[in-house]
């Protein structure tokens, strides 16, 4: 309550011009506050540039969500050819203002392909940390090797982001965030003892609240180190807005879709404000495009998908009091109804068109949810059940996508996935569990950075019920590191020693390889 009152007062002050023109209030300057508390980031690398991002917030947790600032802040940005920032190749100014919470998104162009660059910002008499970005190879350029890593599900309260720190230390060419980058809901320490840390701000329902939640995550030093180390591609999952939502449908039937879309608009806007995204991603009300395509020279095409925003229907077979993810049996016809789409018809058409036109030797589909069928047996009857929240809940979408991959002959399709808080290595087939059905694509799911996984006893039942799932490992937190060449995709499942240890070490749990022309992963 207090939060929204302060927000309204903030808006009123801004509208009536009652605020001091000085960017940093005198009391803040006197306390030695500096604006770059949320780090720097780069994203969307193309052959001649990338986008660089920062957000000025001398007081990142100021309750109105505006980071302790009111007036517009002039920001200088610089791109250098060297880490020491002595050979500046481009520079300019932008104005950051309260409409976008004093975030700065600069779309840099005119750079040379396939090389690293360094960048920094200067504002309010302070310099930001230096970030490292890189341009993509030129179209058609032969590429020996692309090193990238992806992660999902970083719950602040469950632990420290050591996975992010170790990803940064790998100095990859590219990183991918595949959803649940923040968690909107806080855990109850009475029910979940042993939390590593607590969310520092109230659970978000409006723009000020989501700004605070995103900002608080961005104060994390490991998250900042990762963003400063490499450009990113990103999509989201549910927790950036609300657990298990589908398009305009909250998991709670009492939440009116119109009210839910207002909340979605607030969270999407805060997401834009905190991510290295281009102007084309600026949300319009509750709509914001994050699905996109990226080329990496002659080597690979990335299709980044959005599994949440465009669902044509709420989760299959909801109950009167719950619309979130749940298990349903074969009697739930909605689950396989071809009139339902998880990606939405426009995104499906866009994906199929891209697959048809792709000439890349590798086709990487990066997205937020488990694609493979994951049967669970009902405890009493042993009858198969499926979860409604992921691709199993929109099985016709999966069939259409696998059909489109087969028909287009898009080369070497590999899905990268999030959400499930376990490592999965799967074969994706047209006919599940049928040894004679050809493998269409491989899928790797990259466990969670910190979010809770599962216990050893859950492993055997999953593997026994699902012969196309080759690895299910819910006990470890971490990320996935990949090295792609023309001939093969080498994959390491990376695990951190202890999510509760801010200095956790990293090791490789398993390594897999996908060889060009042989769909599916095999242990390396
Ligand atoms: Fe998650
Ligand atoms: Ca999720």
């Amino acid at each position: 309550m207090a939060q929204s009152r302060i927000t309204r007062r903030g808006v009123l002050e801004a509208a009536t011009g009652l605020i001091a023109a000085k960017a940093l209030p005198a009391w803040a300057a006197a306390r030695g506050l500096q604006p770059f508390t949320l780090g720097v980031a780069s994203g969307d690398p193309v052959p001649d540039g990338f986008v660089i991002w920062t957000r000025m917030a001398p007081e990142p947790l100021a309750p109105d969500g505006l980071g302790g600032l009111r007036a517009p802040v002039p920001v200088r940005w610089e791109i250098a050819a060297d880490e020491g920032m002595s050979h500046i190749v481009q520079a300019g100014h932008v104005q950051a203002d309260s409409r976008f919470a004093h975030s700065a998104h600069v779309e840099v162009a005119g750079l040379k392909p396939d090389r690293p660059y360094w960048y920094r910002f200067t504002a309010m008499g302070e310099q930001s940390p230096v970030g490292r970005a890189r341009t993509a190879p030129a179209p058609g350029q032969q590429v020996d090797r692309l090193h990238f890593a992806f992660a999902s599900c970083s719950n602040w309260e469950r632990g420290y982001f050591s996975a992010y720190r170790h990803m940064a230390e790998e100095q990859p060419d590219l990183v991918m965030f595949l959803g649940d980058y923040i968690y909107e809901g806080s855990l109850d320490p009475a029910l979940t003892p042993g939390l590593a840390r607590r969310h520092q701000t109230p659970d978000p329902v409006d723009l000020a609240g989501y700004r605070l939640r995103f900002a608080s995550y961005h104060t994390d030093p490991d998250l900042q180190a990762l963003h400063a180390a490499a450009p990113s591609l990103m999509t989201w999952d549910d927790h950036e807005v609300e657990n298990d939502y589908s398009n305009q449908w909250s998991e709670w039937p009492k939440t009116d879709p119109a009210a839910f879309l207002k909340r979605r608009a607030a969270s999407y806007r805060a997401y834009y404000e905190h991510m290295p995204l281009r102007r084309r991603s600026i949300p319009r009300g509750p709509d914001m495009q994050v699905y996109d395509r990226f080329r990496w020279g002659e080597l690979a095409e990335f299709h980044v998908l959005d599994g949440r925003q465009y669902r044509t229907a709420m989760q299959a077979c909801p109950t009167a009091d719950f619309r979130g993810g749940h298990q349903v049996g074969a009697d739930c016809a909605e689950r396989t109804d071809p009139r339902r789409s998880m990606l939405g018809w426009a995104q499906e058409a866009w994906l199929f068109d891209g697959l048809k036109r792709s000439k890349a030797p590798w086709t990487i589909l990066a997205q937020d949810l488990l694609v493979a069928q994951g049967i669970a047996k009902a405890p009493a009857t042993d009858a198969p059940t499926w979860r409604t929240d992921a691709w199993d809940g929109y099985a016709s979408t999966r069939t259409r996508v696998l059909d489109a991959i087969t028909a287009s002959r898009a080369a070497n399709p590999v899905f990268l996935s999030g959400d499930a808080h376990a490592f999965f290595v799967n074969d994706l087939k047209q006919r599940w569990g049928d040894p004679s059905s050809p493998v269409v694509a491989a899928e790797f799911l990259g466990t969670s950075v910190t979010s809770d996984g599962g216990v050893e006893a859950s492993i055997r039942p999953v593997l026994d019920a699902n012969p196309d799932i080759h690895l299910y490992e819910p006990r470890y937190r971490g990320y996935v590191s990949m090295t792609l060449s023309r001939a093969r995709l080498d994959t390491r499942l990376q695990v951190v020693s202890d999510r509760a240890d801010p200095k956790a070490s990293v090791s490789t749990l398993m390594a897999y390889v996908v060889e060009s022309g042989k769909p599916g992963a095999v242990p390396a």
Side-chain angles (χ1 to χ4, degrees):
M1 280 294 137
Q3 198 175 306
S4 59
R5 234 178 9 247
I6 290 166
T7 304
R8 262 180 251 119
R9 195 184 68 210
V11 169
L12 188 69
E13 282 178 356
T16 52
L18 291 173
I19 38 166
K22 241 171 80 181
L24 196 59
W27 57 265
R31 279 162 50 188
L33 297 177
Q34 64 95 7
F36 298 107
T37 56
L38 307 180
V40 299
S42 69
D44 190 18
V46 294
D48 78 332
F50 37 75
V51 51
I52 56 172
W53 168 93
T54 191
R55 184 189 155 205
M56 273 56 67
E59 284 214 288
L61 305 186
D64 66 358
L66 289 175
L69 295 176
R70 282 284 184 280
V73 177
V75 187
R76 176 175 165 80
W77 56 271
E78 296 166 295
I79 308 287
D82 65 309
E83 192 167 7
M85 299 297 295
S86 53
H87 303 291
I88 304 292
V89 295
Q90 278 195 37
H93 284 90
V94 289
Q95 184 104 312
D97 64 45
S98 58
R99 285 177 309 154
F100 291 104
H102 299 88
S103 60
H105 298 77
V106 181
E107 298 184 33
V108 185
L111 302 175
K112 294 189 177 120
D114 198 24
R115 58 147 295 163
Y117 285 96
W118 289 263
Y119 61 94
R120 76 177 164 211
F121 299 90
T122 307
M124 298 157 65
E126 299 281 341
Q127 254 172 14
S128 77
V130 173
R132 177 188 176 279
R134 86 180 315 289
T135 49
Q141 181 184 332
Q142 296 288 324
V143 181
D144 291 340
R145 175 179 176 277
L146 164 64
H147 173 199
F148 63 98
F150 68 91
S152 60
C153 296
S154 44
N155 186 317
W156 173 279
E157 298 192 305
R158 290 284 189 185
Y160 296 93
F161 297 162
S162 293
Y164 284 161
R165 182 175 68 258
H166 291 293
M167 286 168 82
E169 282 167 7
E170 286 194 21
Q171 296 248 314
D173 297 310
L174 195 61
V175 299
M176 275 170 272
F177 297 99
L178 299 185
D180 292 357
Y181 181 84
I182 62 153
Y183 279 73
E184 88 293 5
S186 297
L187 295 157
D188 181 344
L191 300 174
T192 45
L195 294 175
R197 46 187 178 171
R198 304 300 318 282
H199 280 141
Q200 302 152 284
T201 63
D203 287 354
V205 290
D206 59 11
L207 181 55
Y210 281 104
R211 281 170 167 164
L212 285 168
R213 185 55 52 90
F214 275 97
S216 66
Y217 275 63
H218 267 266
T219 63
D220 184 273
D222 296 323
L223 184 149
Q224 290 191 11
L226 179 55
H227 274 299
S232 51
L233 306 180
M234 68 212 70
T235 188
W236 47 38
D237 194 39
D238 52 338
H239 285 288
E240 284 85 349
V241 184
E242 186 204 55
N243 181 56
D244 282 3
Y245 81 95
S246 293
N247 193 337
Q248 73 263 43
W249 296 284
S250 163
E251 68 177 333
W252 304 114
K254 286 203 179 85
T255 304
D256 173 61
F260 183 75
L261 284 177
K262 277 193 190 145
R263 184 174 178 188
R264 193 178 97 174
S267 76
Y268 284 7
R269 188 178 181 93
Y271 186 90
Y272 169 77
E273 290 169 350
H274 290 83
M275 288 299 211
L277 288 162
R278 292 181 184 270
R279 270 186 296 273
R280 62 171 182 250
S281 288
I282 290 176
R284 267 165 290 178
D287 304 320
M288 175 170 159
Q289 187 175 333
V290 294
Y291 72 81
D292 210 345
R293 221 168 344 256
F294 303 86
R295 282 199 185 80
W296 200 265
E298 174 276 345
L299 183 64
E301 188 149 51
F302 290 85
H303 307 264
V304 180
L305 308 181
D306 175 348
R308 286 285 163 189
Q309 184 178 184
Y310 307 109
R311 296 180 175 201
T312 62
M314 66 181 76
Q315 306 219 13
C317 303
T319 63
D321 55 3
F322 189 59
R323 285 180 187 160
H326 59 292
Q327 298 293 130
V328 296
D331 58 328
C332 172
E334 270 174 28
R335 192 182 72 79
T336 55
D337 187 335
R339 292 167 300 181
R340 292 159 45 90
S341 172
M342 191 184 85
L343 300 175
W345 305 115
Q347 187 179 193
E348 280 196 27
W350 167 88
L351 174 61
F352 301 163
D353 180 59
L355 291 169
K356 222 180 292 170
R357 288 191 289 124
S358 176
K359 292 186 174 62
W362 288 89
T363 304
I364 312 292
L365 299 109
Q367 51 83 49
D368 47 321
L369 293 151
L370 177 68
V371 183
Q373 172 169 269
I375 288 178
K377 296 283 176 68
T381 62
D382 235 25
T385 67
W386 294 264
R387 190 162 176 81
T388 59
D389 188 49
W391 290 67
D392 263 346
Y394 299 80
S396 68
T397 301
R398 181 171 59 204
T399 303
R400 286 189 295 272
V401 169
L402 294 179
D403 283 346
I405 289 171
T406 304
S408 67
R409 302 215 197 117
N412 294 313
V414 178
F415 282 83
L416 316 180
S417 313
D419 176 62
H421 305 180
F423 287 113
F424 281 83
V425 179
N426 309 322
D427 284 342
L428 302 183
K429 290 177 171 178
Q430 290 293 15
R431 295 191 304 282
W432 298 96
D434 177 351
S436 73
S437 182
V439 179
V440 177
E443 176 179 24
F444 295 93
L445 199 148
T447 196
S448 59
V449 170
T450 55
S451 302
D452 236 25
V455 294
E456 186 175 7
S458 68
I459 297 175
R460 203 68 254 169
V462 169
L463 296 179
D464 286 348
N466 301 282
D468 300 325
I469 295 177
H470 296 304
L471 177 96
Y472 166 66
E473 179 47 88
R475 289 174 292 177
Y476 300 99
R477 317 278 63 89
Y479 65 96
V480 175
S481 176
M482 292 184 152
T483 305
L484 181 62
S485 66
R486 182 90 193 205
R488 54 194 272 155
L489 172 65
D490 281 290
T491 297
R492 287 173 299 133
L493 311 185
Q494 298 289 90
V495 301
V496 295
S497 55
D498 180 1
R499 66 181 171 178
D501 176 5
K503 295 190 163 56
S505 61
V506 70
S507 60
T508 300
L509 179 72
M510 285 283 285
Y512 284 85
V513 60
V514 181
E515 283 183 56
S516 177
K518 292 185 197 160
V522 292

